[in-house]
Amino acid sequence: MGMTTPPRTLAEALRARDDESLAGLLRARPDLLSPVPNDITQLATRAGTRASVVRALEHLDRFALQTAEALAVAPDPAPYDTLLGLLTGDGRDDGELRGDAGAAIVDALPGALTTLREQALVWGEDERLHLVRTARELLAPSPQHPSPTGLGPTVSEATAGMSPGRLQEILTAAGLPATYDPVSAVGALSALFTDRVRMGELLDTAPVEALSVLDRLVWGPPYGEVTPNPTPPVKWLRDRGLLLPVSTRTVVLPREAALHLRAGRAHRVPEPLPPVVAAAAERDPQAVDSAAAGQAFLSVSTVEELLKSWNGGGPAILRAGGLSVRELKKTATVLDVSEPVAAFWIELAYAAGLLASDGETDERYAPTPAYDDWTELPAEDRWVRLATAWLAATRTPGLVGGQDAKGRALSTLGPGLDRSAAPEIRHRVLALLDALAPGTAPEPETLLARLRWERPLRGASTSAGDTTDLRSRIALWTLNECELLGITGRGALASQTRALLTAGPAEAAAGLAPLIPEPLDHVLLQADLTAVAPGPLERPLADMLAALADIESKGGATVYRFTPGSVRRALDAGQSAADLHAFLAAHSRTPVPQPLSYLIDDVARRHGHLRIGAASSYVRCDDEAVLNEILADKRSATLRLRRLAPTALAAQIDPVSLLDGLRELGYAPAAESADGDVLITRAGARRTPPRSAPEPVPEGPPLPEPALLGAAVRAIRAGDTAATVVHKDTGPAAPGDALPRTTSAETLVTVQAAAMTGSAIWIGYVNAEGAASQRVIAPVRVEGGYVTAYDHTADEVRTYPLHRITGVAELADDQTA
């Protein structure tokens, strides 16, 4: 649909768009869809609200934003050539922006204007470009909100309220004809400042010190403080209107004068082209994939090790939520990583749904049932699940250790870590890495510069060297997390990650599988009570070895150390000495060393010699000498033991604490049940109830589905005809009955046809209370015995049961065109 005359309002400009263009606006600004506008006028009103405009401006790139800023300081409406001049200058800078830079602006400006028009921030033809009033208010200069361009108010705005006598003094000092009409005086001064020749002649007579003052103000901020008795250079500028008073102590450089000094440019450095992401290093793509695969396997192993350490119940949850600093340090020690890296692994397990609160009265963290399913997957599938969860997560572990807006510390798994922009930044960083040649590692500073160009309003700073804004910090954290997770290898994007981004999880897992080493079924036992695993182990072997020995070091090979405590742990899990001897003999490529056999037999001989039960707790032993030894040991005083019988002691602490206390004294007690049987402690016994992974906090309304966009556009179009709809005469009606009458089949066919064509129809409707009414509706969906339609009568979208529609009638042709 076209227009023969230029639009006078944003609503008219939107009304002139075709359906595809309207759908594009709603797709780019989904907040306009909640709820669906009743008509074009309401859509235009909503598109001009402050919150919606701010959100739209935040999604502009640097040059589109600079174009909007230039329009904010241009006359309204502004011709295209005026806008171009504000971006390239008037040619007095000896070709500074008339070479490649100027050509780039000329080439990029139509695209920037197209973006602004598509998002309804600019409307009108090229001869009359209008910036939406709310955007102009946000971007235009004022004392309260300085312009991003560094320009001040116009002469007319700065002289508002100035006495005619003072205006006359300025005209006289500037060499202009006298006029006592304030409007004419302001116009004459504005004309002087915008006249290149006369303005140049005026500045030629200025003192050198006055030109220095202008140099300090010209690129902003344009405001300066003055004393009651200003210096001669400042007085010279103030007398001629080059500095106009804002208050008794503040003056401002008017916009027209500043633009002359800037050679007509609104920005010091227009940036029509995005910065190029430079390469820091070129690496062999195969080496990159191998390094990433190794780190991917390590990430899976690390998460598994973390959750194994919390198998019997993890750390307690703080009253305010989250993990305490002490528990984070403890976890970092277990994983042999720094505390920030430990926070990352914990948050990753939580985001993947493998970790949650157990929901008990004394709340603690523990693995979820999904963790058991995850451990049964192949290593490549486990990595894909972690990587997918990381990409979508809004929780930002890099914030741990900082403070929120109220000065409260941010803790791991605690509140306040969600940042809705994190997924977008992660995807954008990976997209920029994907655009580089395979094996290319980017220069981080150039990558940050590119991100700041793409979303300049999302950060607190636009300085190329300042990385303190949140967006830049999240990008840097993303690069580090990519290396930890195996998304990148040696700084370059791995091919399996490219497959994850473009083809999907299945293809990524298939690409990673050949790069992960096959698990081994053996270890190498050594005489110093250690075992060396020369690679990843099969799961049953790894689980058993983890119960029987402690990990001493990791790397290309894992070293396990056997200790009395680790052997006791295996015996507590129900293994016998014979079982342990057989296990080691079956899985060692070297003979079982004699010291290891002696260690197992010695611990097994003493294991269960003492029995712990609940009295509060008790100790019983057939050997009285052992109990006498315990009572004589001064270190046992904290256990508060007393003798009940020659072979039994009672304690005032719980059985678990008594078990731990005696083990610290060097004994190997075993817990027993009320029936006197030894209790077996099995790993992985504690799980939370089924928990779903945490939902990411959305940044804004979700992107609408194509079907919703089409229905919304039809409803908005129909709303424009609601007030003027006329229905056809359907023939004589029964006495006292004004409702249209059709059969059920005719009703269904007509409604379905209207939904397909987007046309409006007239219906008769009887509600649940039996009240009859006539309505004009524009059907958008017919399913399940209901029709969802825009009701022109009620001015909203409603759903009607088909069996309550008495009949349908078409509308007049001139109203449905």
Side-chain angles (χ1 to χ4, degrees):
M1 109 185 21
M3 292 190 64
T4 58
T5 59
R8 296 170 298 175
T9 63
L10 175 60
E12 289 187 3
L14 295 178
R15 193 169 287 115
R17 294 188 179 192
D18 56 24
D19 289 352
E20 183 178 354
S21 179
L22 276 182
L25 169 62
L26 298 175
R27 188 182 303 109
R29 298 175 63 178
D31 57 291
L32 302 180
L33 267 177
S34 183
V36 176
N38 293 331
D39 51 32
I40 294 289
T41 301
Q42 190 177 89
L43 174 63
T45 301
R46 192 177 298 172
T49 59
R50 185 181 181 87
S52 183
V53 171
V54 168
R55 191 176 294 113
L57 291 175
E58 287 180 344
H59 284 80
L60 296 178
D61 61 47
R62 177 70 55 78
F63 188 63
L65 183 61
Q66 286 183 331
T67 302
E69 291 168 352
L71 280 173
V73 298
D76 185 31
Y80 182 89
D81 290 341
T82 299
L83 174 61
L84 181 61
L86 285 169
L87 293 169
T88 60
D90 56 17
R92 289 185 289 113
D93 48 0
D94 299 326
E96 180 183 351
L97 293 181
R98 292 298 184 181
D100 294 340
I105 293 174
V106 172
D107 293 340
L109 184 55
L113 273 178
T114 298
T115 298
L116 294 173
R117 282 190 173 113
E118 287 176 349
Q119 299 203 23
L121 295 172
V122 170
W123 57 278
E125 304 298 327
D126 283 354
E127 295 76 16
R128 295 177 60 84
L129 294 171
H130 297 267
L131 182 67
V132 171
R133 182 175 61 184
T134 307
R136 179 176 290 273
E137 293 172 354
L138 290 168
L139 299 175
S142 69
Q144 294 76 24
H145 304 285
S147 168
T149 61
L151 291 169
T154 63
V155 172
S156 176
E157 293 167 344
T159 57
M162 185 178 288
S163 66
R166 177 62 185 134
L167 284 172
Q168 178 59 39
E169 292 174 0
I170 293 176
L171 293 181
T172 302
L176 296 174
T179 174
Y180 289 96
D181 175 24
V183 176
S184 301
V186 170
L189 193 60
S190 300
L192 170 64
F193 292 163
T194 54
D195 188 308
R196 182 190 305 182
V197 176
R198 288 194 295 157
M199 187 64 172
E201 293 173 350
L202 176 63
L203 293 177
D204 287 342
T205 64
V208 176
E209 296 82 358
L211 296 178
S212 298
V213 173
L214 293 178
D215 288 341
R216 290 197 296 270
L217 300 177
V218 63
W219 290 107
Y223 298 92
E225 291 189 1
V226 295
T227 61
N229 297 314
T231 60
V234 173
K235 187 175 185 303
W236 189 94
L237 294 170
R238 194 177 63 177
D239 290 345
R240 287 156 181 79
L242 291 170
L243 292 179
L244 293 172
V246 176
S247 66
T248 56
R249 298 182 59 87
T250 306
V251 293
V252 64
L253 176 65
R255 187 185 309 172
E256 294 87 347
L259 284 173
H260 174 85
L261 295 169
R262 296 180 177 194
R265 296 204 308 276
H267 301 87
R268 186 193 292 264
V269 182
E271 299 182 56
L273 301 177
V276 177
V277 179
E282 300 285 344
R283 311 191 191 282
D284 180 13
Q286 291 184 351
V288 167
D289 292 347
S290 298
Q295 192 61 36
F297 184 79
L298 180 59
S299 68
V300 171
S301 301
T302 303
V303 171
E304 187 173 352
E305 182 181 356
L306 164 69
L307 296 177
K308 275 184 179 179
S309 68
W310 291 3
N311 255 339
I317 301 177
L318 294 173
R319 183 177 301 177
L323 205 63
S324 68
V325 174
R326 182 182 65 181
E327 292 292 351
L328 178 60
K329 289 181 178 179
K330 183 178 177 180
T331 303
T333 302
V334 170
L335 299 180
D336 193 22
V337 296
S338 64
E339 291 171 32
V341 174
F344 167 71
W345 293 123
I346 295 170
E347 286 286 351
L348 179 62
Y350 177 67
L354 308 178
L355 173 66
S357 163
D358 60 10
E360 301 293 335
T361 303
D362 181 20
E363 272 194 307
R364 308 182 78 86
Y365 291 110
T368 65
Y371 165 68
D372 297 314
D373 298 332
W374 179 77
T375 56
E376 298 300 323
L377 298 173
E380 58 272 16
D381 291 326
R382 283 183 278 160
W383 176 81
V384 166
R385 180 166 173 181
L386 294 178
T388 304
W390 173 76
L391 279 171
T394 55
R395 292 185 62 82
T396 312
L399 296 171
V400 171
Q403 293 183 339
D404 61 12
K406 296 183 178 179
R408 296 171 298 196
L410 296 172
S411 60
T412 308
L413 297 179
L417 293 185
D418 283 289
R419 295 295 182 270
S420 56
E424 181 214 346
I425 297 173
R426 293 193 191 107
H427 280 89
R428 192 61 200 130
V429 168
L430 294 183
L432 293 175
L433 295 178
D434 189 29
L436 299 174
T440 302
E443 179 63 45
E445 283 303 319
T446 61
L447 188 143
L448 295 181
R450 176 62 172 265
L451 291 175
R452 282 191 289 264
W453 185 91
E454 292 179 348
R455 294 289 186 270
L457 285 186
R458 288 300 182 91
S461 173
T462 58
S463 171
D466 184 2
T467 59
T468 59
D469 61 280
L470 179 61
R471 204 173 160 79
S472 294
R473 286 191 291 153
I474 293 178
L476 288 175
W477 293 332
T478 297
L479 292 176
N480 294 333
E481 292 165 2
C482 282
E483 282 293 305
L484 287 173
L485 194 52
I487 296 289
T488 58
R490 303 177 65 186
L493 196 67
S495 61
Q496 53 266 28
T497 307
R498 297 179 191 270
L500 179 64
L501 297 175
T502 56
E507 289 73 10
L512 179 61
L515 302 175
I516 293 181
E518 290 291 331
L520 304 176
D521 62 353
H522 66 274
V523 294
L524 306 175
L525 295 178
Q526 303 186 109
D528 61 349
L529 297 181
T530 61
V532 178
L537 300 176
E538 291 181 347
R539 177 161 302 282
L541 174 58
D543 290 343
M544 185 60 191
L545 199 58
L548 181 58
D550 298 324
I551 296 178
E552 188 170 80
S553 65
K554 304 175 185 176
T558 304
V559 178
Y560 294 84
R561 178 164 294 280
F562 299 94
T563 66
S566 68
V567 174
R568 177 194 53 75
R569 187 170 63 234
L571 296 173
D572 285 345
Q575 300 293 324
S576 65
D579 294 335
L580 298 182
H581 287 304
F583 167 78
L584 293 175
H587 292 92
S588 175
R589 289 290 177 89
T590 58
V592 179
Q594 191 176 56
L596 179 56
S597 297
Y598 286 168
L599 174 65
I600 293 174
D601 291 339
D602 182 58
V603 174
R605 183 171 53 255
R606 294 184 294 115
H607 185 262
H609 195 50
L610 295 176
R611 298 294 182 89
I612 303 299
S616 292
S617 57
Y618 62 84
V619 183
R620 70 179 182 88
C621 181
D622 295 334
D623 189 345
E624 296 181 29
V626 174
L627 297 184
N628 292 334
E629 180 184 347
I630 294 175
L631 288 173
D633 194 330
K634 293 181 179 180
R635 296 176 297 169
S636 68
T638 58
L639 304 181
R640 301 169 65 188
L641 297 168
R642 61 185 179 88
R643 188 182 292 274
L644 294 179
T647 59
L649 302 178
Q652 299 300 313
I653 59 177
D654 61 273
V656 174
S657 299
L658 183 56
L659 272 169
D660 293 340
L662 289 177
R663 285 168 180 170
E664 289 178 1
L665 296 180
Y667 299 95
E672 71 177 15
S673 67
D675 299 327
D677 299 324
V678 175
L679 293 175
I680 296 175
T681 304
R682 299 190 182 277
R686 185 163 185 174
R687 290 291 182 267
T688 71
R691 300 273 195 251
S692 58
E695 288 291 333
V697 177
E699 185 178 14
L703 293 178
E705 297 292 334
L708 175 60
L709 284 176
V713 170
R714 290 197 297 271
I716 292 171
R717 292 287 190 201
D720 269 1
T721 62
T724 57
V725 162
V726 178
H727 68 282
K728 287 183 177 180
D729 184 7
T730 58
D737 184 7
L739 300 180
R741 296 287 181 177
T742 55
T743 66
S744 299
E746 292 173 337
T747 297
L748 179 60
V749 170
T750 305
V751 170
Q752 288 177 332
M756 295 178 60
T757 60
S759 57
I761 56 175
W762 192 276
I763 67 169
Y765 180 72
V766 179
N767 64 16
E769 288 75 28
S773 62
Q774 296 180 345
R775 299 177 177 276
V776 176
I777 66 171
V780 295
R781 184 171 63 246
V782 183
E783 61 183 12
Y786 291 85
V787 54
T788 301
Y790 178 84
D791 189 327
H792 296 282
T793 310
D795 202 26
E796 63 183 7
V797 176
R798 288 185 173 181
T799 299
Y800 299 98
L802 284 171
H803 68 273
R804 293 190 178 278
I805 298 178
T806 64
V808 295
E810 296 180 356
L811 300 177
D813 292 337
D814 58 345
Q815 298 298 327
T816 59

